[in-house]
């Protein structure tokens, strides 16, 4: 979900945690090779979950700021990678924000109702878009998403299971899809999204699920998301009631 989808420009919690951690490294005049406190200590310091902390560390790792050791924890990387603009410039750029991220930074309660969650072979079309082999295992998730008990979106997610095998074992009635990806080994960090929106009439199934009339317009958003290595990891279709969705974007001319 691109940031600003609901008119909000707040950062997800894991990004704010990464920024706080980076600020603390600067304040402590951290040097290359310095060891970070344990994950347990960092969780307590920043009052976040272990999943959020690991997503924050993974983001800093992707920027070359920290590096992990398999048995010794996390360490500071090169000092030259700790300028003031490191996180600021990245944070100012467009961000990929999940539904749960949006709810969390806005103090809203998000819930879900899984309609189906299966592992199946990818079709030829899906394989082309996700750059996997036709027939490769694909995690296919249909669910309803609610904000403060209000049905907002019908969502269909398709992801290569190899990118995050834990997808097949996670209860997405309560779990966040993006948090699950960030906690994968290696982490799968949503970085770039090709996003399109179109309007259409509701299908009979959507009329039943949303409890609407056939004249209510639906806005359908299609998103292909790639990770930190520019590899596609998610193909999603989101269906919104026309009166519960607003898309905003800034358009600039770079020439």
């Amino acid at each position: 979900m691109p940031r600003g989808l609901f008119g909000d420009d707040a950062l997800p919690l894991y990004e704010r945690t990464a920024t706080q951690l980076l600020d603390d490294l600067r304040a402590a005049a951290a040097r290359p090779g310095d060891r970070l406190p344990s994950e347990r200590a960092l969780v307590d310091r920043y009052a976040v979950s272990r999943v959020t902390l690991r997503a924050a560390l993974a983001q800093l790792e992707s920027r070359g700021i920290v590096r992990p050791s398999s048995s010794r924890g996390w360490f500071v990387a090169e000092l030259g990678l700790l300028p003031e603009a490191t996180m600021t410039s990245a944070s100012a750029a467009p961000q990929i924000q999940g539904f749960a991220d949006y709810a969390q930074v806005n103090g809203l309660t998000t819930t879900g109702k899984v309609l189906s969650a299966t592992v199946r072979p990818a079709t030829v079309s899906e394989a082309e878009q996700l750059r996997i082999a036709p027939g490769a295992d694909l995690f296919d998730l249909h669910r309803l998403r609610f904000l403060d008990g209000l049905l907002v979106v019908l969502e269909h997610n398709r992801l290569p299971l190899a990118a995050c095998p834990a997808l097949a074992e996670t209860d997405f009635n309560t779990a966040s899809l993006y948090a699950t990806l960030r906690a994968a080994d290696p982490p799968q960090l949503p970085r770039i999204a090709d996003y399109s929106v179109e309007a259409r009439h509701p299908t009979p199934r959507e009329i039943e699920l949303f409890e609407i009339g056939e004249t209510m317009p639906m806005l359908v958003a299609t998103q292909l998301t790639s990770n930190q290595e520019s590899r596609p990891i998610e193909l999603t279709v989101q269906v919104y009631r026309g009166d519960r969705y607003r898309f905003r974007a800034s358009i600039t001319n770079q020439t």
Side-chain angles (χ1 to χ4, degrees):
M1 180 182 299
R3 186 193 304 159
L5 199 62
F6 292 87
D8 177 75
D9 60 354
L11 290 174
L13 180 58
Y14 79 94
E15 288 195 19
R16 301 202 308 272
T17 303
T19 300
Q20 291 173 334
L21 178 53
L22 180 55
D23 288 343
D24 286 347
L25 291 175
R26 294 195 191 105
R31 296 176 298 175
D34 284 353
R35 186 175 179 177
L36 273 63
S38 68
E39 289 190 5
R40 180 184 296 275
L42 292 172
V43 162
D44 292 340
R45 178 181 181 85
Y46 300 114
V48 296
S49 68
R50 185 67 64 89
V51 168
T52 296
L53 175 67
R54 287 179 175 172
L57 289 169
Q59 184 183 77
L60 293 177
E61 180 190 7
S62 73
R63 301 183 190 285
I65 295 169
V66 300
R67 57 180 175 81
S69 173
S70 59
S71 59
R72 300 173 57 211
W74 289 84
F75 293 82
V76 177
E78 294 298 324
L79 264 182
L81 297 174
L82 292 172
E84 285 295 325
T86 299
M87 291 297 295
T88 305
S89 61
S91 297
Q95 303 289 316
I96 307 300
Q97 186 180 52
F99 189 88
D101 295 327
Y102 169 81
Q104 186 174 53
V105 298
N106 285 277
L108 301 172
T109 300
T110 177
T111 53
K113 179 181 179 182
V114 173
L115 303 177
S116 66
T118 60
V119 175
R120 61 170 176 80
T123 66
V124 172
S125 176
E126 293 165 340
E128 288 178 349
Q129 294 180 81
L130 293 168
R131 287 164 46 191
I132 58 177
D137 284 345
L138 192 74
F139 180 66
D140 188 301
L141 175 66
H142 289 261
R143 58 180 171 165
L144 300 174
R145 312 296 303 278
F146 301 81
L147 287 175
D148 284 351
L150 183 68
L151 176 57
V152 174
V153 58
L154 168 63
E155 197 167 71
H156 181 200
N157 313 102
R158 284 161 288 176
L159 305 94
L161 188 63
C164 181
L167 291 168
E169 303 171 358
T170 302
D171 180 6
F172 287 106
N173 286 294
T174 54
S176 163
L177 179 62
Y178 276 17
T180 303
L181 290 173
R182 294 171 191 139
D185 184 16
Q188 300 296 315
L189 307 180
R191 282 287 183 260
I192 303 171
D194 293 326
Y195 197 83
S196 64
V197 182
E198 63 176 320
R200 61 164 171 76
H201 293 296
T203 65
R205 184 166 182 258
E206 291 162 359
I207 290 174
E208 178 182 358
L209 291 172
F210 283 92
E211 298 180 350
I212 56 175
E214 61 183 14
T215 60
M216 170 65 69
M218 309 301 289
L219 291 177
V220 182
T222 302
Q223 178 173 316
L224 179 63
T225 304
S226 299
N227 66 6
Q228 69 272 25
E229 298 176 349
S230 299
R231 187 167 188 83
I233 56 171
E234 176 200 18
L235 178 60
T236 292
V237 177
Q238 299 162 318
V239 181
Y240 297 85
R241 280 178 49 152
D243 60 346
R244 294 182 183 172
Y245 176 91
R246 176 179 293 169
F247 175 71
R248 292 177 178 173
S250 296
I251 301 175
T252 59
N253 189 342
Q254 300 296 328
T255 61

